[in-house]
Amino acid sequence: MFKEAFITVLCFIGVYVILRVLIKKNILLAKRLIIGALALTLLLNICYNVYAFFPALAIDGVNYLGDAEDNLFIYNEKSEFRDQILFPTLQNRTVRIDESAACYALFFRTFAKSTETLSLTEDECAMLISAQDMLSFSAPLKIIHLMNYAFPSYAEISEVPILYLDESNLSGEDILVAASDDNGNLYLFTQKAYLEVTGYEQ
């Protein structure tokens, strides 16, 4: 630590001496060098921050932010809370909620563009749940504990349910279908995938 600080001080002293000499000999050249050095420093700083810090600051693993629709640019897949993918996913989308997923209705009403009630038969719900291999994303739904006010039915649960999401087919899809199993695991299908699994025509 001391060595790095000492080297930094020496660098500043060296720059100061060089600038003093340049100002005495050629003030115009000195001004141009100063402006160029400041511009280069600013550019390098911006590039480094965008590369190294911006993705972490956009979602820092604790705060839930979402202002993207089709692409999940602000989603941080390395976060401890991978279920934060829900926030950009729900942005500007309608969620059709089956009765089996009624415990998630308040959350969807809060963060989705709109919600609709969907009545699936037991067979249809079972088909969706058994088709979880179609859903390309899964993660523990930890927001149930972090935001328990949005999940009144699950506020006291000890086991964390799993989120299954049709992430790979989100682009261009405005409607999601939500179903849940007996363990509270949440299944979010795109409308297209839902119609494919249930065999309905659009």
Side-chain angles (χ1 to χ4, degrees):
M1 182 71 178
F2 176 78
K3 182 173 67 175
E4 288 82 358
F6 181 70
I7 292 173
T8 302
V9 171
L10 285 181
C11 288
F12 275 110
I13 292 174
V15 170
Y16 173 77
V17 171
I18 292 171
L19 288 177
R20 285 296 299 267
V21 173
L22 279 175
I23 289 172
K24 287 183 178 180
K25 292 189 174 183
N26 190 335
I27 191 167
L28 182 60
L29 177 61
K31 287 180 178 180
R32 288 177 178 173
L33 287 175
I34 292 172
I35 292 172
L38 290 174
L40 179 62
T41 301
L42 179 62
L43 179 63
L44 291 175
N45 188 49
I46 291 173
C47 291
Y48 179 76
N49 285 333
V50 168
Y51 174 78
F53 292 111
F54 179 74
L57 290 175
I59 291 183
D60 62 10
V62 176
N63 295 319
Y64 295 91
L65 308 174
D67 60 4
E69 184 178 352
D70 290 331
N71 70 68
L72 304 177
F73 175 67
I74 66 168
Y75 166 61
N76 181 2
E77 65 179 5
K78 296 180 181 178
S79 168
E80 175 186 352
F81 306 105
R82 297 178 64 234
D83 53 342
Q84 66 191 352
I85 196 173
L86 274 175
F87 293 90
T89 297
L90 297 177
Q91 184 81 10
N92 296 325
R93 287 190 171 92
T94 296
V95 181
R96 304 181 69 196
I97 310 167
D98 177 57
E99 184 180 349
S100 64
C103 55
Y104 296 102
L106 176 59
F107 176 78
F108 288 136
R109 287 199 302 269
T110 303
F111 292 101
K113 177 184 177 182
S114 62
T115 59
E116 299 174 358
T117 301
L118 177 67
S119 295
L120 296 173
T121 65
E122 289 187 12
D123 288 342
E124 290 170 340
C125 192
M127 281 191 290
L128 287 177
I129 292 170
S130 63
Q132 78 175 56
D133 290 343
M134 291 180 61
L135 306 180
S136 56
F137 176 90
S138 65
L141 198 55
K142 296 183 179 181
I143 54 175
I144 281 188
H145 290 306
L146 296 172
M147 302 174 62
N148 54 14
Y149 54 86
F151 307 92
S153 301
Y154 278 133
E156 303 300 327
I157 66 167
S158 57
E159 292 188 10
V160 177
I162 304 297
L163 164 67
Y164 297 95
L165 173 66
D166 193 9
E167 177 195 8
S168 60
N169 295 313
L170 284 176
S171 181
E173 291 287 328
D174 298 323
I175 298 176
L176 301 175
V177 175
S180 182
D181 60 22
D182 294 336
N183 296 319
N185 298 319
L186 176 61
Y187 302 83
L188 269 179
F189 288 81
T190 59
Q191 176 83 343
K192 182 178 179 181
Y194 157 72
L195 294 171
E196 182 181 338
V197 171
T198 56
Y200 292 136
E201 297 291 336
Q202 287 200 22

